Amino acid sequence: MQQPDNSRRDATLVDPRVKDFLRRPHRLLIDGQWVNADSGESFPVIDPATAGIIASAAAGGKRDIDLAVSAARRALEGGVWSRLAPSERARLLWRLADLIAVHAEEFAQIETLDNGMPIAFARDFFVPAACEHFRYAAGWCTKVSGDTVPVSLPGEWHAYTRREPVGVVAQIVAWNVPLMMAAMKIAPALAAGCTVVLKPAEETPLSALRLGELALEAGLPPGVLNIVTGDGGNAGAALAAHPGVDKVSFTGSTEVGRLIVKASAGNLKKVSLELGGKSPVFVFPDADLPAAIAGAANAIFFNSGQVCAAGSRLYIHERVYDEVVAGVAAIASQLRLGHGLDAGTEMGPLVSASQVERVKGYILAGILAGARVLNEERRTELGGYFVGPTVLGSTTPDMTVVREEIFGPVVCAMRFSDEEVDAIAVQANDTCYGLAAGIWTKDLNIAHRLASRIRGGTVWVNSHSVLDPALPWGGLKLSGWGREMGREGIDAYLETKSVAIHLG
């Protein structure tokens, strides 16, 4: 079994600018100023690869949320933001994207130290994707428009619609892809003309705070973007329930999503939810099997399985089952575990000790129910929150590992024998979730027919977890409400107003 070479991980790997950032006091961004939490308290920020404290962040609470929402309201209704030309908003968003690109290596290292992901993931995908979300949204600033409407009222009328910002937006993001997730929420909201109060996950607050620094450098007016760090039970709950918030956009677990819905009822604020998933991946016998094997493994082991669209249910046609499952298990047995800053690390830790306990609990439950681990057990000598990639065979649809979201590097392999699309779609839809699915086949007939029958927000064919700012993203059933990205992502932050003028 291959072990990581820990000798390559030392202080020289960390950029001096990142070291300086980590040493700084991390306060709350409210009304264009960095301020201490009202309580004066802070919480530790942990490197999940070592379980060591790398920084501390202000523990925001209800009073801080009140101040942030008030600042956002002032910026929306009486400040510079409400009077800014759309082209100026576009320039500010583009300028922020450029600043992220200039500081890309800093962001990559901050994400790795805070979240645990291999730095290649942050450097090559998540940080550039954050830039692209701001650039894509910038293009929409000058393209939000209404329509003239021919009405059938008696007399002569000029009727038209206006598209206006929904208002003050609360955005609560998860810890698995912190920077990109913040960007994909902040960018469309600002493009639509809204103002934002962002609450990053308490496990991973650092990249959002660095983003806040660059937002001020880019020239965002005070109160347009406010960032309050803190835990979900205090800062998050206060933000979701705040009567001064017009909309909540949340990404996280289905359980917390339900709490967000309840909290929003007070003033009937609008809610967008991007929640959990139990995404199926189907491998047909005609597929490019080497590509399908690599793709199926990446679908579940990428980012240590901490991906809402992770391909955690792997359905393989019986004619190629042995070859595919052996290939995925071999990849699982060879993936290099280690600290994200180590050269060659292919899979990092889980985000926290509680996540380790959760994932190990599901693996044990599966084994006790009759599942078999098909790959070599992986260990690391690092003291962080590691769980090795796990391929489970002999799984059945009634097992909890098959039915419930694990959010870790655990895949359940199952056979199918019927190539009838309707029967396969029943297996894909046999879940309370409806986020995504993957299909590996060269047969366009199967691909199109099955894609149309799957109850999910996204279907990939001969790929998995491929996102683009122009493609809408979101789920059905317990996977959430609404869509992010694309035109729908802008529309989520807009209201339609009808204006009817009686001309005589």
Side-chain angles (χ1 to χ4, degrees):
M1 180 172 61
Q2 194 174 28
Q3 294 287 347
D5 179 6
N6 295 327
S7 64
R8 288 175 297 174
R9 181 172 52 84
D10 57 47
T12 62
L13 294 173
V14 182
D15 189 295
R17 296 169 297 177
V18 174
K19 292 180 184 179
D20 177 66
F21 172 77
L22 295 176
R23 285 192 293 261
R24 293 204 293 269
H26 297 296
R27 301 186 176 97
L28 313 176
L29 178 58
I30 298 177
D31 206 13
Q33 301 293 322
W34 293 101
V35 298
N36 292 321
D38 180 65
S39 66
E41 297 179 357
S42 62
F43 61 93
V45 181
I46 308 296
D47 175 355
T50 65
I53 297 174
I54 56 173
S56 63
K62 185 178 185 302
R63 174 59 178 161
D64 306 297
I65 293 296
D66 287 341
L67 293 172
V69 172
S70 295
R73 179 64 61 187
R74 287 193 300 273
L76 177 75
E77 295 182 350
V80 176
W81 196 242
S82 60
R83 299 189 297 269
L84 204 63
S87 59
E88 287 299 319
R89 285 207 309 275
R91 274 190 278 273
L92 286 172
L93 292 182
W94 198 273
R95 189 178 304 154
L96 181 52
D98 287 345
L99 285 171
I100 296 170
V102 167
H103 296 275
E105 183 61 21
E106 290 176 60
F107 275 111
Q109 293 193 18
I110 289 169
E111 288 288 81
T112 293
L113 290 167
D114 204 6
N115 165 274
M117 67 178 66
I119 193 166
F121 295 0
R123 183 185 286 142
D124 299 338
F125 179 66
F126 292 127
V127 176
C131 296
E132 289 309 305
H133 279 289
F134 280 104
R135 288 171 176 149
Y136 176 81
W140 275 106
C141 293
T142 55
K143 299 170 185 65
V144 174
S145 61
D147 299 299
T148 56
V149 181
V151 296
S152 300
L153 298 168
E156 188 175 356
W157 294 81
H158 174 52
Y160 60 95
T161 59
R162 289 174 50 89
R163 300 287 278 157
E164 299 179 349
V166 71
V168 173
V169 178
Q171 299 182 329
I172 304 173
V173 298
W175 43 257
N176 57 327
V177 283
L179 177 65
M180 189 187 81
M181 197 175 299
M184 67 191 287
K185 288 188 183 295
I186 294 169
L190 298 187
C194 297
T195 55
V196 171
V197 180
L198 175 74
K199 209 283 295 179
E202 55 265 38
E203 295 88 350
T204 55
L206 296 180
S207 58
L209 294 171
R210 185 69 181 108
L211 181 63
E213 293 178 350
L214 295 187
L216 296 181
E217 185 178 338
L220 256 65
V224 172
L225 173 61
N226 306 274
I227 302 174
V228 179
T229 54
D231 64 34
N234 290 300
L239 184 56
H242 201 287
V245 168
D246 301 300
K247 175 185 172 66
V248 179
S249 178
F250 170 75
T251 297
S253 70
T254 299
E255 293 78 10
V256 177
R258 289 191 175 100
L259 297 176
I260 297 287
V261 172
K262 291 179 181 178
S264 70
N267 64 336
L268 296 180
K269 56 176 64 71
K270 294 180 179 295
V271 177
S272 295
L273 303 171
E274 202 273 277
L275 306 175
K278 195 70 179 177
S279 299
V281 175
F282 288 90
V283 180
F284 287 86
D286 70 308
D288 179 340
L289 292 187
I293 290 167
N298 187 65
I300 186 61
F301 301 140
F302 179 75
N303 207 29
S304 303
Q306 298 173 132
V307 178
C308 53
S312 53
R313 292 185 293 150
L314 178 56
Y315 295 94
I316 310 167
H317 193 278
E318 60 184 2
R319 295 210 304 269
V320 293
Y321 177 88
D322 291 340
E323 181 179 353
V324 172
V325 80
V328 174
I331 291 173
S333 299
Q334 296 164 10
L335 280 174
R336 187 183 185 91
L337 274 64
H339 195 289
L341 293 184
D342 288 346
T345 288
E346 296 172 308
M347 197 172 97
L350 301 184
V351 77
S352 65
S354 61
Q355 191 68 7
V356 169
E357 183 179 353
R358 172 187 173 89
V359 174
K360 285 186 173 180
Y362 273 108
I363 294 172
L364 178 59
I367 293 171
L368 292 177
R372 294 189 303 112
V373 178
L374 302 180
N375 61 288
E376 181 183 353
E377 183 180 2
R378 310 303 313 284
R379 297 183 184 275
T380 175
E381 295 176 359
L382 292 173
Y385 309 130
F386 287 88
V387 173
T390 303
V391 181
L392 295 177
S394 302
T395 54
T396 57
D398 59 311
M399 293 181 179
T400 58
V401 287
V402 176
R403 303 206 66 79
E404 297 181 12
E405 184 180 39
I406 300 172
F407 220 65
V410 182
V411 61
C412 297
M414 292 165 281
R415 302 172 187 265
F416 71 92
S417 57
D418 192 344
E419 292 189 41
E420 170 55 42
V421 166
D422 289 336
I424 297 168
V426 169
Q427 297 183 65
N429 297 331
D430 185 21
T431 174
C432 61
Y433 297 105
L435 187 56
I439 304 168
W440 291 86
T441 180
K442 295 177 183 176
D443 189 329
L444 288 178
N445 181 55
I446 289 176
H448 284 299
R449 291 176 63 210
L450 183 54
S452 71
R453 287 161 173 77
I454 288 174
R455 291 278 295 158
T458 297
V459 178
W460 294 289
V461 179
N462 297 327
S463 63
H464 202 92
S465 292
V466 178
L467 302 178
D468 186 276
L471 273 174
W473 172 250
L476 310 176
K477 300 188 279 186
L478 294 190
S479 290
W481 294 349
R483 293 294 179 269
E484 296 184 291
M485 305 195 295
R487 178 168 191 157
E488 288 86 347
I490 303 293
D491 287 341
Y493 294 100
L494 293 168
E495 295 273 26
T496 299
K497 177 186 288 181
S498 295
V499 180
I501 304 173
H502 188 202
L503 302 178

